[in-house]
């Protein structure tokens, strides 16, 4: 994508002026999964959209504890530019007189920076486009809604049962404001319910083309937290907000569509489960690379307190039909919407990820399945933890990484994913995430919770 063109920049400035904005945030997501921003005054916005806002190269070596890692070329010397995509402009309903845009990270000569995660997803999407296809993606976000006690602990807003209307009533004012704020940003809330955990909520938003879906995932995360803060609440998308409570997934639903004729390539009405050969090959590729993909899609220290057997998070390398213990689930179809609803769900993912990396890695893995014509193993239609260990080994149903360190090792050992990321992005990403492991693995549960509850 070219730098912001004059007409696009002028259009955004006109909208910002008409809305009475004073600031526009330039949003990006780091290797640590943190959403960060610099803001431009509306005065001079058009020029900053064209030339970008300066950012030290060191920021992509910053971890989620704000500890700078010693990554070559990411120290005190050097700068990149944050160049906004005008198509992502939103007026923020929760921040008075403020708008936002998602950015590309550019080198000083205008090229995509090698560390730019958004550019990585665009590269992977372009590879799909060469096959005449695009990936449609939808996120399901689970999060905890809490108050903060005088002693600093977080207290869930309810102690209700799963899907209980008591839980809905406890959060109804918050959810109403959340739905309105998402609507105002053209991100419809499709489903909502009070989930299993105390204070736990779940929302789903629509399928979008991959890059748009990742952009909107950042806006959704921002909105969930901001609407809570405005009401004196704390919303946390941390994978395991309370050590003994339910985990928060950030499930990724995906399907492959023709660029031209709006045909869902995952759908075949002639097969028993309506999943096409292309869908099976794509699934097989994701399954083959799933341990390494966990390093991108479930990348935090806290993630691996959620991905454990018999917690419905998908802890074994397998797939199944409507099997919520499988990390790759093929959902049953909706009546009258069979083609539109044919998709696959990745359950071993959460909102501590950088969504550009998670979805880009998903595409890279699925493309490998398509290009090699892979066929998935037989589906697992029971809880894999109940299968005898010898049978699991025979069927290659193996435990997914059990720690952040294991997931990052699996990622580094996956030549396909590492090659797709590129040397600079892969090196900086592993350095950032491994540094988090080194810190959290020497600390206690309280330190872990404090480090994740407010940051995701």
């Amino acid at each position: 994508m070219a730098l912001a063109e004059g007409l696009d920049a002028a259009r955004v400035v006109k909208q910002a002026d008409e809305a009475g904005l004073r600031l526009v945030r330039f949003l990006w997501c780091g290797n640590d999964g943190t959403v960060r921003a610099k803001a431009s005054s509306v005065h001079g916005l058009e020029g900053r959209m064209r030339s970008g806002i300066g950012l030290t190269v060191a920021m992509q070596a910053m971890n989620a504890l704000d500890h700078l890692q010693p990554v070559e070329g990411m120290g005190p010397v050097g700068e990149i530019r944050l160049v906004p995509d005008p198509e992502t402009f939103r007026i923020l309903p929760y921040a008075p007189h403020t708008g936002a845009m998602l950015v590309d990270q550019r080198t000083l000569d205008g090229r995509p920076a090698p560390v730019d995660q958004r550019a990585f997803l665009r590269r992977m999407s372009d590879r799909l486009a060469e096959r005449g296809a695009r990936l449609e993606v939808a996120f399901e976000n689970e999060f905890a809604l809490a108050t903060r006690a005088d002693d600093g602990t977080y207290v869930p807003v309810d102690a209700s049962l799963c899907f209980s209307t008591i839980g809905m009533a406890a959060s109804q004012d918050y959810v109403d404001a959340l739905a309105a704020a998402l609507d105002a940003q053209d991100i419809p809330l499709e489903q909502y319910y009070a989930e299993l955990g105390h204070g736990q909520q779940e929302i789903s938003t629509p399928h979008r083309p991959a890059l748009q879906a990742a952009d909107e995932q950042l806006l959704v995360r921002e909105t969930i937290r901001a609407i809570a803060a405005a009401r004196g609440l704390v919303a946390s998308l941390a994978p395991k907000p309370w050590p003994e409570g339910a985990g928060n997934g950030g499930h990724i639903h995906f399907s492959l569509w023709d660029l031209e004729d709006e045909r869902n390539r995952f759908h075949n009405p002639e097969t028993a489960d309506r999943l096409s050969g292309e869908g099976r090959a794509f699934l097989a590729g994701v399954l083959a690379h799933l341990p390494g993909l966990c390093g991108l899609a479930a990348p935090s220290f806290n993630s691996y307190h959620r991905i454990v057997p018999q917690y419905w998070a998908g802890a074994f390398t397998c797939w199944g039909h409507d099997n919520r213990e499988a990390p790759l689930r093929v959902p049953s179809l909706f009546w009258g919407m069979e083609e539109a609803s044919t998709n696959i769900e990745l359950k071993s993912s959460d909102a501590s990820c950088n969504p550009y990396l998670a979805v880009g890695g998903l595409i890279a893995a699925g493309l490998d399945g398509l290009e090699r014509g892979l066929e998935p193993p037989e589906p697992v239609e029971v809880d894999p933890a109940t299968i005898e260990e010898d049978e699991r080994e025979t069927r290659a149903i193996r435990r997914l990484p059990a720690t952040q360190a294991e997931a990052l090792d699996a990622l580094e050992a996956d030549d396909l994913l590492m090659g797709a990321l590129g040397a600079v992005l892969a090196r900086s990403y592993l350095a950032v995430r491994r540094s988090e492991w080194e810190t959290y693995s020497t600390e206690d549960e309280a330190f872990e919770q404090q480090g994740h509850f407010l940051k995701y």
Side-chain angles (χ1 to χ4, degrees), residues 174-441:
Y174 166 81
V175 174
D176 182 62
L178 176 62
L182 291 172
D183 274 342
Q185 297 170 83
D186 296 320
I187 307 173
L189 191 159
E190 291 207 323
Q191 288 193 70
Y192 156 74
Y193 28 87
E195 251 282 8
L196 171 67
H198 293 174
Q200 189 178 42
Q201 321 290 312
E202 179 169 337
I203 65 169
S204 56
T205 47
H207 283 258
R208 305 289 203 201
L211 186 64
Q212 182 181 352
D215 286 339
E216 291 186 358
Q217 170 66 355
L218 297 188
L219 294 171
V220 168
R221 285 174 52 185
E222 290 286 276
T223 305
I224 286 170
R225 290 192 297 254
I227 296 298
R231 282 155 179 74
L233 302 171
V234 178
S236 178
L237 294 99
K240 194 74 167 178
W242 289 283
E244 303 305 319
N248 289 327
H251 306 162
I252 302 174
H253 289 257
F254 57 97
S255 52
L256 195 65
W257 290 73
D258 271 342
L259 285 177
E260 301 300 332
D261 61 4
E262 291 300 307
R263 178 177 66 90
N264 185 350
R265 293 190 179 188
F266 277 11
H267 181 73
N268 181 352
E270 304 303 320
T271 62
D273 61 3
R274 314 291 179 89
L275 189 64
S276 69
E278 276 188 294
R280 294 175 66 84
F282 199 102
L283 185 156
V286 175
L287 186 59
H289 295 281
L290 190 55
L293 187 59
C294 282
L296 297 174
S300 69
F301 184 90
N302 196 235
S303 297
Y304 293 89
H305 290 152
R306 171 182 168 267
I307 302 179
V308 295
Q310 301 191 313
Y311 271 70
W312 290 32
F316 291 90
T317 54
C318 64
W319 71 284
H321 298 93
D322 275 335
N323 185 349
R324 287 173 169 81
E325 273 292 341
L328 288 165
R329 178 176 77 100
V330 176
S332 50
L333 306 185
F334 289 101
W335 304 321
M337 301 173 58
E338 286 80 4
E339 180 177 5
S341 62
T342 302
N343 75 97
I344 299 168
E345 178 188 31
L346 175 64
K347 295 183 65 65
S348 52
S349 57
D350 62 60
S352 69
C353 75
N354 180 311
Y356 304 110
L357 296 180
V359 177
L362 185 69
I363 293 174
L367 270 168
D368 186 48
L370 291 174
E371 290 167 355
R372 292 199 284 150
L374 297 182
E375 180 70 19
E378 288 299 308
V380 174
E381 312 293 28
V382 299
D383 180 348
T386 65
I387 300 174
E388 292 294 332
E389 188 172 346
D390 288 349
E391 183 183 347
R392 285 206 306 265
E393 184 60 31
T394 299
R395 296 175 62 181
I397 303 169
R398 301 189 176 96
R399 181 75 165 86
L400 282 174
T403 66
Q404 182 188 31
E406 289 181 15
L408 295 173
D409 286 347
L411 173 60
E412 186 173 27
D414 191 313
D415 291 339
L416 180 120
L417 292 178
M418 292 293 284
L421 289 167
V424 174
L425 180 52
R427 182 173 67 246
S428 60
Y429 181 79
L430 288 170
V432 163
R433 288 300 192 174
R434 280 192 169 132
S435 70
E436 294 167 6
W437 164 260
E438 290 167 3
T439 298
Y440 283 114
S441 61

Side-chain angles (χ1 to χ4, degrees), residues 125-137:
S125 295
D126 287 347
R127 285 187 57 199
L128 270 183
E130 291 170 2
R131 301 178 68 96
R134 72 178 189 274
L135 197 74
E136 289 278 319
V137 172

